[in-house]
Amino acid sequence: MSIAKVLKRTFLTLFILALILITAIIFAVRAWVLPDYSKIGEMKDEAILAGRMADSFPAAADPYFVEMEKGVLKHENADIEVFRQWAEVLKITPEEVRQSAVKGQNSWIVWTGGNDRFWDEMANKYTFGTYDLLKILSSHPSQGYGRDTRWSYLGLVNEPCFEKATEPDEYGLWLDKRIVDPDNGCPEDPFADAEKYPGVAIGARGKNIPVGSYYGEPSGVVGLRLFPNPNFDEEAAKKWKEGQASGKNDDGYYTNTDFYYDRELVRPYRVGMSCAFCHVGPSPVNPPADPENPQWSELNSNPGAQYFWVNRIFYWDNEPRNPDNPHMPAKQEHNFIYQLFHTNPPGALDTSLISTDYINNPRTMNAVYSLGSRLLPTLRWGGEQLTGDELDNKQFNNYPQTEELGAFWDESTGQIKTARVLKDGADSVGVLGALNRVYLNIGLFSEEWLTHFYPVIGTQEITPIRIADAQKNSTYWNATEDQTADMAIFFLVSASPDDLKDAPEGENYLTEDDSILDRGRMVFAENCAACHSSKIPESPPESGIDTGECAGGGNGANYRKCWDKYWEWTRTDEFKEKMKEIVFSEERDENCPEGKDPFLCDNFLSTERRIPVDLLQTNACSPLATNGLKGDIWDNFTSTSYKQLPAAGELTVHHPVSGEASSFQPLGNGRGYTRPASLISLWSTAPFLVNNSVGHLEYYEAAEDAYGYHQDAAGGYADEQSNYSYDSKGYYKYPDSYQQAYGNVDPYSPSVESRMAVFHDSINKMLNPDQRRVDNETDNPVPGYIYRTTAASCVKVPAGYIPGAKTFGGLLNWIAPWAFEENGDFKAGPFPEGMPVNLLMNTKVIPDHDEEMGFDHLMKLARLGLDFLSVAKELGGTCTPEELVTPAVKAHAKSVFYNSNLVNSLLDLSKCPDYVVNRGHYFGAELSVEDKQSLIAYLKTF
């Protein structure tokens, strides 16, 4: 055979093998990227599989939490004005209003809707061992926190009537112990009554473990409930016992990584999560005397979890930095997953973390104030058009207790007048639809939800979860729909403003000088009210602001034109004069109590109009969120009007390494807008902006560097001392310089003096942008700071979460020692200290539904993959804690990363290339010092 024939056959063979390999890769990628359409719409939840229907999950009426919300729901208050007022509106008796509100309160605090299944899966399959709620609930001696420091370190609210575990329970778990002492306010938890509220008998429940209650057992943390794990059968119980025995003190779950780093681990309990976990917090006007041991009367359901530390809760195995060596990274600070969570300031959370849209978007947990005052202006500006599956959302009209609120919904036209809760104004299908969506987002009907995306890391094409499928296949969904009308009534009657004058010694922080307050009123009317008041003058008829295509707010394809008309009018002397008349008016209706500023009565202190991000100049990532776009996961929960919104204007963004400015044009179809925040109880809700970035001092940053130029950061309260000392608990939290930045007041104490210190710092930075924190890493200055890693870090995944890694660890280490340890643990890095986190986290792996997955995108992905592999190999996987603190390793990581093409490849695929997080909202920056101080004095009365 000639050489030519041999070469020809060899070439053809290689060509055929290459085609087979390419075809296999294409099919493998398609199988990974595309959802399993055979499952979508066909999954059933555990309740329906157990033969349970929605009417078997009635909302509890037990008045267990009525001391909360300032005690407004107590039986003796049934005849107070707020109940009479809503009884008249709803055409039911005041007592019926109160009973509905009690049911709504219970649903908010203890109803989890079967999501214990989801959070168990999150711990096992999708978070690589970092997230484990059962560990968060524990006080094992090996952990860096427990019940006695749960508030100060994690920002979680300890449930009253519990004490710290001093020994393990029957399963070897160190869970809080319930105190039952009815004479001292600690009765049995009524919701744990399995006879009154029978749980779902599925799997091992009712066999070797109890069925329990459908509300589960109280856990010791408000918003988390314990449920018997239906997978904990006799075999699982045997493995658990063996695993526990592998620990030094029969505590393998806490001490043996070979046992607990296992995606097949079956725990005795699953942990369910209610809305209260992210929304119940200390009362601003009746703060806990001891935040680690609050009383129910010191808690409210509506302010939001303002002190919630995501990086510590979502990464359970961590502890503070050593106070004797505060510059040495803390445990797990070298893991990039921890660094991702660390971008979330306390009180902020990326609510798209699970159903990821490829944008890291920490946003504040919404305070829920004055729902009634919020609904009224929607009749004027809240018009949204619903079509198709959007029409499946329940409305007030569907329930007898709220059917008198029918003016907000026109079934014949599909027109809804609604408030919008999400920061980007996406949830635009009615208040009840917004509430129901939240339950899906915390894991209700996860059997179906998880077929529409791959949690946390994405890489799967997202499809919308349909309400119709939930109504057909999920008893938990139907039961939740039946409860949200009562939840709405709960907030209508209970979510009243927290006025500073009503807080302990609050009057000491208020200005009595009427001339200062009047000047503040004038400044507010002229500069703030256009976006932050629901009391607005009637627009000129000839202006077209509220008529024609702009009627109802003009939401839809022509919205920007309507907004521009409104904004132009608010800049006129005519508007400002009329606005001042409203602000200074002394007319008081019958529902406005004496002593309350009439302008502030029934004023939501927001317009609910969507504001274009190019006008705000704030970080663009929140308004560019895409989960509500047509065809995306929340398609059914956003209006057609939202999906038709035009693009915002061109933005200026900054390179995260060089700092150079460039232009960026965002897409439309819902993107590009922000719902203006309400200023109700503003004094208690700092830090500010949608991501809590203005007024939050980075924990690992030297305070004297951040505040050296602003000596009055605490707003003149530098001599105030916190009533609560962490030292009394023997617990170190912050370096001295950190508290000095706030005048020796702990910024994360819920006391009035602490809230006021953070308020003054934050509001001064809002009005004086030059005092905001700035980034020192870029070559050229940028207008704020960038989320960066605080230490050299690696992506680490234990072998127990990688199929086959434990078995083939040695082989994987031989093939790629820079990526695998001999035991099969995966590692990639180290990435340098100071690396922009969102450079990696904002990578658009899959285009949105209004974009093409074209050849250009595929080539960018291929280049990124090759660049990442090349950099990871050169970085070498030197990822032990000892290696990561050596100067040579840190210098090598920085050199390799920044001298590679990886930065450019990541930028080419960035879904949100806006990395400066605390910029924008410069309104008021040009005011005089006197006007700023007068405005601040007035804002404290809100």
Side-chain angles (χ1 to χ4, degrees):
M1 185 180 295
S2 68
I3 294 176
K5 287 184 177 181
V6 171
L7 291 174
K8 184 177 180 180
R9 288 185 178 181
T10 301
F11 175 79
L12 286 173
T13 301
L14 291 174
F15 180 74
I16 292 170
L17 288 173
L19 283 177
I20 293 172
L21 179 62
I22 291 171
T23 302
I25 290 173
I26 290 173
F27 276 103
V29 169
R30 282 179 58 85
W32 178 263
V33 171
L34 296 180
D36 185 345
Y37 289 103
S38 67
K39 293 182 178 179
I40 291 177
E42 300 301 323
M43 306 301 293
K44 298 183 185 300
D45 72 10
E46 290 179 341
I48 208 167
L49 289 174
R52 298 285 291 273
M53 295 293 105
D55 59 4
S56 69
F57 296 96
D62 304 81
Y64 184 70
F65 301 112
V66 294
E67 293 292 334
M68 296 174 66
E69 340 302 350
K70 308 166 195 167
V72 70
L73 299 185
K74 292 193 287 189
H75 180 73
E76 58 266 32
N77 290 332
D79 196 40
I80 63 174
E81 178 59 34
V82 68
F83 291 110
R84 293 198 302 271
Q85 176 188 346
W86 285 107
E88 183 177 348
V89 172
L90 299 173
K91 300 293 191 293
I92 56 180
T93 68
E95 177 58 19
E96 287 173 326
V97 174
R98 194 188 70 84
Q99 287 288 345
S100 283
V102 168
K103 291 179 182 179
Q105 183 187 50
N106 291 338
S107 296
W108 186 253
I109 297 174
V110 297
W111 173 249
T112 65
N115 68 20
D116 50 293
R117 173 190 182 274
F118 168 75
W119 293 110
D120 192 63
E121 283 206 37
M122 278 290 289
N124 277 7
K125 297 181 180 179
Y126 303 119
T127 55
F128 313 123
T130 68
Y131 185 76
D132 190 336
L133 286 173
L134 206 55
K135 294 271 180 63
I136 293 298
L137 292 171
S138 297
S139 295
H140 187 268
S142 68
Q143 295 178 260
Y145 50 86
R147 180 175 176 87
D148 53 357
T149 57
R150 192 176 285 147
W151 164 263
S152 56
Y153 188 61
L154 301 177
L156 295 181
V157 178
N158 277 328
E159 184 169 347
C161 299
F162 278 86
E163 62 184 2
K164 180 180 179 179
T166 55
E167 59 184 7
D169 65 9
E170 61 181 307
Y171 298 115
L173 296 170
W174 289 65
L175 302 176
D176 292 1
K177 293 186 176 180
R178 177 78 180 182
I179 299 169
V180 179
D181 186 359
D183 293 336
N184 288 294
C186 290
E188 294 278 3
D189 181 283
F191 311 103
D193 187 336
E195 293 187 10
K196 188 175 182 181
Y197 305 114
V200 174
I202 193 169
R205 291 179 184 167
K207 297 174 183 176
N208 63 306
I209 58 174
V211 175
S213 160
Y214 61 75
Y215 287 117
E217 296 275 346
S219 68
V221 170
V222 177
L224 297 180
R225 307 284 293 185
L226 293 169
F227 293 82
N229 189 341
N231 297 318
F232 198 73
D233 55 18
E234 291 182 354
E235 182 181 352
K238 180 181 177 182
K239 288 183 178 179
W240 176 266
K241 188 174 182 179
E242 292 171 353
Q244 284 286 56
S246 68
K248 188 180 298 184
N249 298 301
D250 289 329
D251 56 359
Y253 176 61
Y254 299 105
T255 60
N256 182 5
T257 56
D258 288 336
F259 174 48
Y260 64 71
Y261 279 157
D262 182 1
R263 71 194 311 267
E264 303 300 329
L265 179 65
V266 179
R267 300 163 184 78
Y269 300 107
R270 300 194 312 201
V271 183
M273 181 186 296
S274 73
C275 292
F277 186 61
C278 293
H279 289 278
V280 166
S283 167
V285 297
N286 185 30
D290 179 355
E292 301 290 0
N293 295 286
Q295 303 302 309
W296 287 120
S297 60
E298 298 170 328
L299 301 174
N300 283 3
S301 293
N302 62 302
Q306 297 166 280
Y307 304 91
F308 187 104
W309 292 79
V310 169
N311 58 311
R312 300 169 182 176
I313 296 167
F314 278 64
Y315 208 127
W316 69 267
D317 186 20
N318 68 77
E319 57 192 32
R321 285 188 176 188
N322 186 340
D324 296 325
N325 192 7
H327 297 290
M328 180 63 67
K331 185 179 184 181
Q332 304 302 353
E333 202 175 334
H334 289 307
N335 193 319
F336 185 82
I337 298 174
Y338 172 90
Q339 294 291 344
L340 165 62
F341 294 142
H342 184 256
T343 63
N344 296 254
L349 170 68
D350 182 4
T351 55
S352 296
L353 171 69
I354 297 166
S355 55
T356 181
D357 59 356
Y358 305 111
I359 302 177
N360 180 35
N361 244 334
R363 286 168 280 194
T364 58
M365 301 183 202
N366 288 313
V368 183
Y369 280 113
S370 300
L371 181 58
S373 301
R374 188 173 194 171
L375 290 176
L376 286 174
T378 68
L379 295 172
R380 185 173 173 184
W381 303 306
E384 305 275 351
Q385 181 64 55
L386 306 189
T387 62
D389 286 351
E390 301 157 11
L391 296 168
D392 290 331
N393 283 280
K394 296 292 186 183
Q395 305 296 345
F396 288 133
N397 314 52
N398 297 116
Y399 300 96
Q401 64 268 49
T402 54
E403 63 183 346
E404 291 298 323
L405 299 176
F408 296 97
W409 170 239
D410 186 339
E411 186 175 4
S412 64
T413 63
Q415 284 274 338
I416 182 75
K417 303 292 181 68
T418 185
R420 309 167 189 104
V421 179
L422 294 178
K423 299 291 191 297
D424 58 356
D427 52 347
S428 41
V429 292
V431 170
L432 301 188
L435 278 170
N436 290 324
R437 187 203 65 84
V438 170
Y439 277 95
L440 288 173
N441 201 40
I442 58 174
L444 182 146
F445 196 22
S446 59
E447 295 89 345
E448 173 71 23
W449 193 42
L450 294 180
T451 67
H452 294 273
F453 61 92
Y454 192 88
V456 184
I457 64 173
T459 71
Q460 176 182 306
E461 182 181 351
I462 296 176
T463 54
I465 184 168
R466 298 179 65 244
I467 295 171
D469 291 334
Q471 291 171 338
K472 178 180 68 173
N473 294 325
S474 173
T475 292
Y476 282 127
W477 168 265
N478 292 324
T480 301
E481 281 192 323
D482 288 346
Q483 294 179 37
T484 47
D486 287 332
M487 276 189 259
I489 291 177
F490 164 55
F491 284 113
L492 284 171
V493 302
S494 69
S496 58
D498 291 306
D499 293 339
L500 181 56
K501 65 179 178 59
D502 297 328
E505 300 185 359
E507 294 282 358
N508 295 339
Y509 299 95
L510 294 169
T511 301
E512 295 183 358
D513 190 326
D514 288 340
S515 64
I516 293 177
L517 291 174
D518 284 346
R519 184 165 188 151
R521 287 186 176 92
M522 184 178 68
V523 173
F524 180 84
E526 293 182 340
N527 297 276
C528 311
C531 297
H532 291 293
S533 174
S534 58
K535 295 182 178 181
I536 294 289
E538 292 293 331
S539 61
E542 69 279 4
S543 68
I545 293 171
D546 293 314
T547 58
E549 65 183 3
C550 297
N555 300 292
N558 296 313
Y559 180 71
R560 185 57 191 261
K561 186 193 304 182
C562 298
W563 166 264
D564 287 343
K565 287 181 182 180
Y566 172 73
W567 186 245
E568 182 180 357
W569 174 53
T570 65
R571 303 298 88 199
T572 65
D573 290 339
E574 176 192 14
F575 173 86
K576 293 178 180 179
E577 289 302 317
K578 289 183 176 180
M579 194 67 239
K580 282 189 283 189
E581 289 177 11
I582 295 174
V583 171
F584 281 92
S585 174
E586 296 185 1
E587 292 186 19
R588 182 184 307 276
D589 66 30
E590 60 183 8
N591 295 321
C592 185
E594 291 295 329
K596 181 86 171 179
D597 183 345
F599 172 67
L600 300 180
C601 284
D602 290 326
N603 193 337
F604 183 58
L605 295 174
S606 170
T607 66
E608 285 283 341
R609 292 180 184 267
R610 299 179 175 101
I611 305 178
V613 65
D614 55 292
L615 175 63
L616 286 172
Q617 299 183 59
T618 51
N619 180 268
C621 293
S622 176
L624 294 185
T626 57
N627 276 352
L629 300 189
K630 183 177 181 180
D632 220 296
I633 187 67
W634 302 131
D635 169 286
N636 281 204
F637 298 90
T638 63
S639 69
T640 297
S641 302
Y642 165 81
K643 298 180 180 83
Q644 294 174 344
L645 288 172
E650 191 175 82
L651 308 175
T652 298
V653 297
H654 297 82
H655 194 285
V657 180
S658 71
E660 291 182 3
S662 61
S663 60
F664 170 64
Q665 177 57 60
L667 298 175
N669 301 327
R671 308 174 186 86
Y673 298 86
T674 293
R675 168 190 61 77
S678 169
L679 303 188
I680 292 176
S681 305
L682 185 69
W683 69 273
S684 69
T685 59
F688 297 136
L689 289 187
V690 297
N691 50 16
N692 270 0
S693 62
V694 175
H696 165 61
L697 179 63
E698 170 55 46
Y699 174 39
Y700 298 131
E701 180 183 349
E704 58 269 24
D705 294 341
Y707 285 85
Y709 49 79
H710 185 34
Q711 296 178 358
D712 194 25
Y717 298 103
D719 294 329
E720 296 283 349
Q721 296 290 332
S722 173
N723 291 331
Y724 180 73
S725 170
Y726 293 103
D727 295 335
S728 69
K729 297 287 183 183
Y731 183 77
Y732 171 84
K733 189 177 181 186
Y734 307 110
D736 291 341
S737 58
Y738 189 87
Q739 292 193 19
Q740 288 168 8
Y742 294 97
N744 289 323
V745 173
D746 172 21
Y748 298 110
S749 162
S751 65
V752 175
E753 59 266 30
S754 294
R755 289 182 187 268
M756 290 307 299
V758 179
F759 167 77
H760 276 274
D761 176 53
S762 304
I763 198 65
N764 275 301
K765 289 191 171 100
M766 289 296 294
L767 296 173
N768 299 284
D770 60 306
Q771 295 176 0
R772 299 182 193 178
R773 179 182 164 199
V774 294
D775 195 274
N776 296 317
E777 296 284 333
T778 54
D779 298 332
N780 299 294
V782 295
Y785 76 92
I786 293 171
Y787 294 140
R788 296 185 181 276
T789 57
T790 60
S793 57
C794 296
V795 176
K796 301 178 183 179
V797 180
Y801 297 96
I802 307 171
K806 284 187 175 181
T807 303
F808 300 105
L811 177 62
L812 292 170
N813 175 257
W814 178 75
I815 295 171
W818 46 271
F820 289 95
E821 302 285 2
E822 290 187 358
N823 67 353
D825 288 353
F826 173 80
K827 58 185 179 178
F831 298 105
E833 179 179 345
M835 171 190 162
V837 175
N838 285 356
L839 183 63
L840 180 60
M841 297 314 302
N842 289 357
T843 303
K844 181 165 58 177
V845 179
I846 296 178
D848 295 316
H849 289 279
D850 56 357
E851 299 176 282
E852 293 291 330
M853 173 72 94
F855 179 75
D856 180 62
H857 185 83
L858 292 173
M859 289 302 297
K860 287 180 179 179
L861 281 175
R863 283 196 297 270
L864 174 60
L866 292 173
D867 289 338
F868 189 89
L869 285 173
S870 174
V871 168
K873 186 175 181 180
E874 191 172 356
L875 287 171
T878 50
C879 292
T880 66
E882 295 77 18
E883 291 171 327
L884 288 168
V885 296
T886 61
V889 169
K890 293 168 70 175
H892 178 69
K894 193 169 186 177
S895 175
V896 169
F897 184 81
Y898 289 115
N899 289 321
S900 72
N901 194 52
L902 182 58
V903 172
N904 290 329
S905 294
L906 289 167
L907 284 170
D908 283 345
L909 281 168
S910 181
K911 189 169 180 178
C912 179
D914 190 1
Y915 301 100
V916 180
V917 297
N918 63 332
R919 68 183 181 91
H921 198 287
Y922 300 127
F923 312 106
E926 301 302 320
L927 293 172
S928 69
V929 173
E930 187 176 1
D931 280 351
K932 289 177 182 177
Q933 294 307 310
S934 297
L935 176 61
I936 291 172
Y938 183 51
L939 293 175
K940 285 189 288 187
T941 69
F942 284 13

